[in-house]
Each structure stands twice: as structure tokens, then as C-alpha cells.
Amino acid sequence: MELGGYSGAMSDDDELDVELEARLEEAEEFEPPEAFVEQANVTDESIYEEFEENWPDAWERAADLLDWDEDYDQVLDDSEAPFYEWFTGGSLNASANCVDRHLDERGDEPAIEWVGELGEERTYTYEELHREVNEFAAVLREQGVEEDDVVTMYMPMIPELPIAMLACARIGAPHAVVFAGFSADALATRMNAADSEHLITCDGYYRRGDALEHLDKAEEGLEQVDQAVDTIVVDRLEDDFDHELGPNQSDYHDLLADQEGAEVEPVERDAEDMLFLMYTSGTTGKPKGVKHTTGGYLAYTAWTSHAVLDIKSEDTYWCSADIGWITGHSYIVYGPLALGTTSVMYEGTPDYPEKDRMWEIVDDHDVTQLYTAPTAIRAFMKWGQEYPDKHDLSSLRLLGTVGEPINPRAWKWYYKHIGNESCPVVDTWWQTETGGMMITTLPAVKNMKPGSAGPPLPGIDARIVDESGNEVDAGRAGYLTVNNPWPGMLRTLYKNDERFISEYWNEYSDPDEDEWIYFPEDGAKIDEDGYITVLGRVDDVINVSGHRLGTMEIESAIVGVSGVAEAAVVGGDHEMKGEAVYTYVITEDGYEGDEDLRQEIIESVEDSIGPIARPEAVVFTHELPKTRSGKIMRRLLEDIANGDDLGNTSTLRNPEVVEEIAEKVQGD
Ligand code: WT7
């Protein structure tokens, strides 16, 4: 791991800035609104102590939110650490927990309220969800899907996606959802890595009112998949787009009709059996297949949905993320449905047809909790308060944010203009790997401090340390670590235990003492009250609009273009996206860094990852700034992208190139 990638927060000057900033932020604190506290799920501060004194058994509280087929014998088995196991000996089924067990009391209540891009709406009551999940589980069986077969889903935000996930869970087939915005290549890489022989996708979907083709992209991906694949296609666009099914392709609704009324007994899964795989970006070019299990993950997402999002079954809760990312898995599908609530799902973009789309949905559906991302909040702020002002948002009781640091200004705007100063805001830090929220305020218990996520949740031992692992003083920048396991944690990287250890457990652990410390690869600082402000990634991962992208993956897409000799990709600050992709490219002799090449580079990145990775800038240069030992100085390239002071560059092998590149960037 390269600590040099850290955007400067460890240097002396920045240290000072960080401290000043911290003091300013600490000046403001907001108490939990009284009306909220009166009705909250968790109100007693002693819960922190209880977890501390009674750890790990206190986690039974999370397991108690679920129905178990077989009780577990042990809360935590740490005998093979860091391959921890939770609720061992227990068995359950996630689909039964998210659907069947709510039928008696909530069968006629909505489980999913889906809002389409064109304004159409579809509601699935728990009864209806149960029916379709069962029928589709029968379809999967009929298609030869067996327990433990990985089923890939490459689908946008349509109800068939959570239905397919729950159907998989019902028969014990782990799902691997690939974000629909990812490219054909990205789909193929993931299907190959997971040896997946089943794909569920759709003909297309709507974006800004236009029908967008999707099946061609899926088919293009399949051409690069090594194994034979059976594909099920949902007809989302109906008459707006004709598609023909090829060999090994079947229509979702036809298959469903064949299984009308079918019931499939939920398969009893061991607590530690895999529920799903989720691929995410890391330091190297190869995406990591994060493995989550049935018992611990479901207990953890249900518990955090209850304690942090304050979800009750009669709520109408809305998380505006995409199910293609972990946020959607944990907090649109599994956590909320495990609690039997109504989960709103929106297909489209927040500014179509108008910039008040979100507020219209909140108003129409009487949404009680809204969980969104800082990048969206920055956009709302820019569009202006007249859009939320047009609507009655008084149904809202709690607001949440996730994905990247939120600056205090955006936080306050959200609190004031969306929450009317009467909804607590939970700024939740977590990751694909953690399965659920780790650091945030318990909304009825702790004061809020804009810009700081808050203290670690009860039972979570998060600390801020220096490079040698010693805890740093309040206000100083350091590295975030998690010193105790938790039920929602990833169990391993799919078929790669070694990489699991080297990615997360090598930096601060002491294997000889059997002491294991999880390293999330984020920088952070802590204040006197134990509130943690997460500063951002310290590895070669950048965060574009709350989406995690690996710079190595982007670099390898660029060096694949003929005429490119070398490339370096860094994240530069971006007003709306948080970070944007900056690429520095050296051309081969005989090639010119012209507009054509620039276009080819951009296309290659979009083809290998997707439009989200589209470079903000492509800077051609004849050299990259390197250390004497030949390492590219990424931090310097970040500073250049941000227009920051470049400081002393005299220790470089080629200091003269720095000014040259900086001039080019500023000229762009
Ligand atoms: C990375 C994880 C968690 C689901 C969405 C992203 C950053 C996430 C916060 C927050 C500051 C945050 C971190 C983390 N991050 N939430 N509240 N404050 N930073 O999941 O794609 O796995 O990315 O997102 O850098 O490591 P992910």
C-alpha cells in the first residue's frame, strides 16, 4: 500500500489547516430534535456501555431482529481470525426474513413503492412481493440454478432487480449485482471472476425520458465471458424498443407466467453461507469480490436500519441510491425489508422532468426518512431552495447521507431546507466491505456536528492512528482503523483469502499476537468528544459522486489505446462530484496528443469501466513527475489538478516538468 497517495493531509501545513478547520466545526453542534427523540427506536445512551461491557454477546440484539430456523450456538467465533464467523451454528433464510414473516401482519401493506422515470408507479404489497419472489425462485430452479451458484444481475432500478435478489436468496444462490452503468467489459470481468453461468438483465431503461438500450451492452459483455451463460431478459421498454431474444435467452415475464402460483420453500442457509458478492475497486486493477454472508450481514443491516435510520414497519422510507452499489443492497433491499417497512425505489434522475422530482416523490409518498448522498445534496443546493419549497416535506422525520464526506455548508442546507430543522441528519461512514454503517450518530442519543460523521456505533471500535499504529491526538490527521470485528463485515474476497489479508489486515495487525486490525484505507481525524471526521481514501481509489473507482483500472484502459506510452490517473477536487478523474498521458514517439487521441482515451475508459469514470481532463505531457527511484508522484499530480500550491519539488528526478504540466492544466 502506498501512503504517499494520501492527498497531503500528513504534511505540516495541511496539519495546521486541518486543526483550524476542526475548531471551526466543533463550534457548532445540534441537539436531536425533541419530537424525534420521543418516538425513536433507540434512546438510551447506556447502549454504548452495554456493548462495551457485554461484547460480543451484545450483538445478540441484532440477531434478535431476525427469525432463525436454527438458533446459533456462538455469537462470535474468532478461532480463525481474521476469518471471523458470526452466529455460528444458526441457520435462516434471508428471503423468508425479508418477505414471508411479514405476511401475517403486513401482507396488504406496501413492501416496495416503485416510481418509474416516466412517472408511472408500481406498488408491491408484501403479499405481491411474496408471490413474485416465489414464482421467480421457481423459474431459477427450472433454469437449473442450484444452491451456491452465483447469479449475476445487470439491471437498472426496476422492481425485478430486488425480486430477483430475493428469489436467489430464497434458493440459496448468491447474487452478484453489477451496476447497470458499468460497461460490457466490466460485466464480463465480474462474471468471469465469479464463474457465473446465469445472467438476469433487461432490454433497456429510461433516462431523462429517453429509452436507453441495455441488452446489446449485456450481449457484448457475454461475448467475453468464458463459460456458457443462460440469460433472462426483463422487457422494461415494451413497445418503445423491440428486441429479439437470442439462443440461451428467455423472457422474464414468460418464464414467470409458466410458474404462476408456484411456491418455493425457503432453503435453510447456514449463518455463514454466502448471501451475495459485490465487486468493488481497490488498489490493483482487478476488482475485489467482497463476500457477504446470510446471518451476520442481515442482522447487521436490520440492526443499523433500526438504530440509525429509525425504521419502523409503518414508515415509508426512501434511500435514493442505486441497488447496483452496496448502499442499495443494504438500505433499499435487505435492512428495510427485514424490518417489514415500505421501501421506495426510484428509477430515474433527480432533475427529470424537473429539479423538484425528489421533493415531489417525498410529498406524494409521505416519505418519512430520506437517505441520500452529498453529491446529490450539493446539486440540490446549487439548484436552489425554491424546488423543495414547492412541496410539503413535513412527512420527513430523519435525513441521512452516505458515500463521501459532506461539508458543513451542505449539511446545514440539508438540515434546514429539507429537514426544516426538525429532522436529525445521520452522516454515515461505511464501505462495501463493512456491509453496513459503522460511524455515525445514534440520532436520538448524540448531538450532531456538521462535517463529522460522529462516534463509532455501539460495539464498533474505530480509532485514528499514525503510521506506526499509535493513536493520534484529537484534531490531528491519521488513519482510520477498526480494532474489533462486527457481524456485517466481509468474510473474505471471493476465492482469494490471501488478497483479503493483504488488502485489509496487513497494515496494523500483529498476527504473532493474534491481534487483528481492519484497515479501511481512509484517512480521518477525531475530536475531544470522540467524533470522527473522515477525510478520504489513502489508497489509489477515487470517489466520484460517491462511487468508488480504482485509478489502476482507469490507467490500464488508457494504456491500452495505441499511441499511449504511459498514463497516471488521480482524483482532483470537483464542486459537484466531490472528486473527478484527471488523467496525465505520455504519448509514444510519432503520436501526437491531439483531439482524436483524447477522444479515443475517453472512449476507452468508458468502454472498460463505464461513463461514470469518464475523465474530466486528459493532459498530454512528455514526462510525469517522478521521484529519484522512479515512482510517479501522484500527490503532486493531485495538487496540480486542484490548482494547489506545489511546494518544494526539488527532490524530484525531473522537477522542470511540474511547471510545464501545471501550465497545461491551467490553460485547459
Ligand atoms: C468509501 C467506501 C458506504 C456505501 C457507499 C460507498 C467513503 C463513505 C462516507 C462518509 C466520508 C465516506 C470512504 C469509504 N465514504 N461514506 N459518510 N463520510 N467518507 O461505499 O464504494 O465501498 O466506498 O466511501 O472513503 O472508504 P464504497
Side-chain angles (χ1 to χ4, degrees), residues 316-320 344-346 358 361-362 367 369-371:
T316 301
Y317 153 86
W318 181 19
C319 164
S320 73
V344 174
M345 186 178 165
Y346 174 49
M358 301 273 296
I361 295 173
V362 170
V367 170
Q369 292 98 329
L370 176 68
Y371 191 30

Side-chain angles (χ1 to χ4, degrees), residues 280 325-327 401-406 427-434 439 453 520-522 534-537 543 546-548:
T280 188
W325 307 98
I326 192 72
T327 310
T401 133
V402 59
E404 51 176 315
I406 180 165
D427 173 0
T428 61
W429 177 88
W430 58 291
Q431 311 179 291
T432 304
E433 291 87 342
T434 69
I439 302 175
E521 307 202 66
D522 270 331
V534 177
L535 300 165
R537 305 284 307 191
N543 189 328
H547 298 148
R548 183 163 150 186

Side-chain angles (χ1 to χ4, degrees), residues 160-183:
E160 288 81 1
L161 174 55
I163 287 167
M165 291 161 72
L166 292 165
C168 278
R170 197 167 192 87
I171 62 169
H175 50 75
V177 180
V178 177
F179 175 56
F182 275 144
S183 67

Side-chain angles (χ1 to χ4, degrees), residues 87-317:
F87 310 122
T88 50
S91 66
L92 74 168
N93 181 283
S95 147
N97 269 282
C98 291
V99 188
D100 304 43
R101 67 172 177 148
H102 307 308
L103 290 178
D104 277 351
E105 280 181 24
R106 303 203 26 95
D108 295 331
E109 300 297 328
I112 296 175
E113 285 182 4
W114 177 80
V115 182
E117 164 100 358
L118 303 181
E120 72 274 48
E121 304 205 351
R122 255 199 270 167
T123 297
Y124 288 78
T125 62
Y126 274 95
E127 192 76 60
E128 289 162 340
L129 183 64
H130 182 256
R131 188 176 318 138
E132 195 157 325
V133 166
N134 271 276
E135 290 173 354
F136 195 62
V139 165
L140 291 172
R141 282 250 171 97
E142 188 66 31
Q143 295 271 309
V145 179
E146 289 178 14
E147 200 174 340
D148 294 320
D149 286 353
V150 177
V151 177
T152 305
M153 288 159 206
Y154 186 42
M155 281 158 114
M157 290 287 282
I158 54 178
E160 288 81 1
L161 174 55
I163 287 167
M165 291 161 72
L166 292 165
C168 278
R170 197 167 192 87
I171 62 169
H175 50 75
V177 180
V178 177
F179 175 56
F182 275 144
S183 67
D185 289 3
L187 171 68
T189 314
R190 286 158 179 77
M191 286 192 79
N192 283 329
D195 296 319
S196 177
E197 296 174 350
H198 302 274
L199 174 68
I200 306 165
T201 185
C202 67
D203 57 343
Y205 51 106
Y206 296 97
R207 265 297 169 277
R208 300 187 177 284
D210 296 328
L212 203 79
E213 205 287 322
H214 190 62
L215 188 57
D216 275 356
K217 205 166 67 163
E219 284 171 349
E220 202 188 308
L222 284 176
E223 282 166 22
Q224 305 166 52
V225 174
D226 305 329
Q227 60 278 16
V229 175
D230 284 323
T231 304
I232 298 175
V233 183
V234 177
D235 184 2
R236 160 74 183 113
L237 297 178
E238 298 176 352
D239 295 340
D240 280 354
F241 176 73
D242 282 335
H243 64 276
E244 268 174 44
L245 295 178
N248 304 324
Q249 295 187 351
S250 338
D251 178 78
Y252 176 94
H253 289 102
D254 287 351
L255 292 173
L256 211 60
D258 294 343
Q259 299 296 336
E260 202 183 322
E263 293 216 5
V264 172
E265 186 67 22
V267 169
E268 202 176 313
R269 297 282 279 170
D270 190 277
E272 281 297 314
D273 280 342
M274 171 158 53
L275 179 61
F276 66 88
L277 275 179
M278 170 108 246
Y279 281 88
T280 188
S281 299
T283 305
T284 70
K286 251 182 108 194
K288 308 188 271 197
V290 169
K291 174 181 162 181
H292 282 293
T293 54
T294 313
Y297 171 83
L298 198 62
Y300 197 71
T301 52
W303 162 248
T304 44
S305 296
H306 169 86
V308 180
L309 297 170
D310 198 49
I311 290 178
K312 299 161 174 63
S313 55
E314 53 295 356
D315 284 335
T316 301
Y317 153 86

